Amino acid sequence: MSHETRQHHTPRRQPHRSPAGFARWLTGKLRSRLAAGVTHLTTGSGPTLDYSSPPGDPGLFGPDSMCWKVHADFTSMMTGGISALMLQALHPLALAAVWDHSTFRTDILGRLRRTATFIAGTTFGSRHDALALIERVRRIHLGVSGMAPDGRPYRASEPALLTWVHVAEVSSFMTAHLRYVNPALPVEAQDRYFAETARIAHMLGASDVPRSRAKIDAYLLAMQPELIASERTRELVGILTNAPAPSAAMRPAGALMFNAGVDLLPDWAQTMLGFERHALIRRAVARPGVRLVAPVIRWALVNGVSKRALRRVAATSDADGSC
């Protein structure tokens, strides 16, 4: 390099050259990496939704709804979703439909992602996207039918079966919310949540959907005689246990989430699945572990789905010039 070239060459200033700048850069990189690892578990299957538009669209429920509050926390929803899958699998007809018509045995993460997309889209998506998701799933259900191992026919569109799948799901989400987000949530607020989410179940074709805490509890009690922990059920649980992590660094978190999901199951369901033996040890590890990890995940998901949806709804005031 010539003397003249050296004279006119100005090294590019690094944005993190100062200690404070470096700290901000490192924090941003860490947040991005954590967010990528977390969202890898819930994206990549099913339709891609834009939660940022159209401006002012509140979706089916809006930010003042209970389902926005309950579904906004990734950690509790993840543990609740794992618990819901195991609870749903205790119903022989629900399990037969998944067994015969799903790729869960070879793509369990895909199954989790599609469920996550449906929940997020119907909760936080625009009205158009939410209705399109519901119609898409409703059409898929119409093509799912067959014969269970016990000789009974099943149809995924059967209203009572849809009710079971729905109740197993929302009751698990609420249990997770009470344990890891707001243990003091009043029963009246829980009733609002179950009433709101019943709307989705009805739109999918479910019937006699319980819409309160008391009716959810009564329904689960009444359903117990119909539930079976079969070899197929145990195989599904084994697949969940060994679900692949997006990276080696995420494996401990995956194991923690699985055990927290087991811990969310009702005691009778844990007994049916053979989990009661180590229940006390699992509780002692999973609950404090999730409470330790949850704030980190919330910090990483600073631009998560619920945050983008909130900005979308608030954008109406900017568009019309009001305050």
Side-chain angles (χ1 to χ4, degrees):
M1 182 183 291
S2 68
H3 175 70
E4 289 78 8
T5 304
R6 286 198 300 269
Q7 271 189 322
H8 292 89
H9 174 72
T10 303
R12 188 169 59 183
R13 185 185 182 93
Q14 296 298 321
H16 52 271
R17 182 64 60 87
S18 70
F22 177 75
R24 286 193 296 272
W25 172 81
L26 187 61
T27 299
K29 293 287 285 186
L30 178 60
R31 174 176 269 164
S32 297
R33 181 161 294 187
L34 280 171
V38 169
T39 54
H40 177 79
L41 296 172
T42 56
T43 58
S45 295
T48 301
L49 305 180
D50 179 8
Y51 294 94
S52 301
S53 65
D57 189 327
L60 295 181
F61 301 101
D64 293 329
S65 63
M66 277 308 304
C67 60
W68 270 54
K69 294 176 175 65
V70 172
H71 295 174
D73 185 70
F74 177 88
T75 309
S76 61
M77 289 296 288
M78 191 68 183
T79 58
I82 292 169
S83 185
L85 278 177
M86 289 186 278
L87 190 57
Q88 289 167 350
L90 288 171
H91 194 300
L93 299 186
L95 179 58
V98 172
W99 192 275
D100 295 342
H101 298 272
S102 171
T103 59
F104 80 93
R105 279 170 286 177
T106 56
D107 185 25
I108 187 63
L109 285 183
R111 164 79 182 188
L112 290 170
R113 287 166 178 156
R114 286 188 291 275
T115 301
T117 296
F118 181 81
I119 298 298
T122 53
T123 305
F124 302 111
S126 67
R127 180 176 177 82
H128 174 271
D129 286 348
L131 293 176
L133 277 173
I134 293 168
E135 179 60 22
R136 179 175 181 268
V137 171
R138 196 188 65 79
R139 287 199 308 268
I140 290 171
H141 284 167
L142 290 174
V144 174
S145 61
M147 193 75 68
D150 61 10
R152 287 185 292 168
Y154 66 80
R155 291 180 296 110
S157 59
E158 202 275 315
L161 198 56
L162 288 168
T163 299
W164 164 253
V165 171
H166 168 77
V167 172
E169 198 167 74
V170 296
S171 64
S172 297
F173 291 153
M174 179 53 69
T175 301
H177 185 80
L178 292 171
R179 182 161 298 165
Y180 294 116
V181 182
N182 185 7
L185 187 70
V187 172
E188 293 80 3
Q190 296 179 47
D191 290 347
R192 276 182 56 206
Y193 171 75
F194 291 125
E196 289 168 3
T197 53
R199 181 181 175 191
I200 302 296
H202 282 299
M203 293 173 79
L204 288 171
S207 63
D208 301 321
V209 182
R211 299 169 61 90
S212 69
R213 173 83 268 174
K215 289 182 179 180
I216 289 282
D217 292 343
Y219 174 87
L220 288 172
L221 180 64
M223 287 295 295
Q224 287 181 41
E226 298 186 33
L227 308 180
I228 299 170
S230 65
E231 286 302 313
R232 283 184 169 187
T233 310
R234 298 183 192 283
E235 183 171 337
L236 182 144
V237 170
I239 292 169
L240 275 173
T241 306
N242 299 297
S247 67
M250 293 290 288
R251 282 179 198 145
L256 176 64
M257 293 294 179
F258 173 79
N259 282 287
V262 172
D263 182 51
L264 287 173
L265 287 166
D267 290 343
W268 54 264
Q270 292 191 45
T271 299
M272 289 182 70
L273 291 168
F275 285 127
E276 78 282 1
R277 184 176 177 184
H278 301 296
L280 291 177
I281 297 173
R282 181 176 295 107
R283 180 184 307 166
V285 174
R287 294 186 188 185
V290 171
R291 292 187 181 108
L292 186 66
V293 168
V296 179
I297 293 177
R298 291 170 192 142
W299 170 78
L301 294 178
V302 67
N303 194 36
V305 165
S306 62
K307 306 292 193 307
R308 281 178 274 158
L310 275 171
R311 291 196 294 271
R312 181 193 74 230
V313 177
T316 185
S317 59
D318 297 333
D320 63 16
S322 61
C323 297

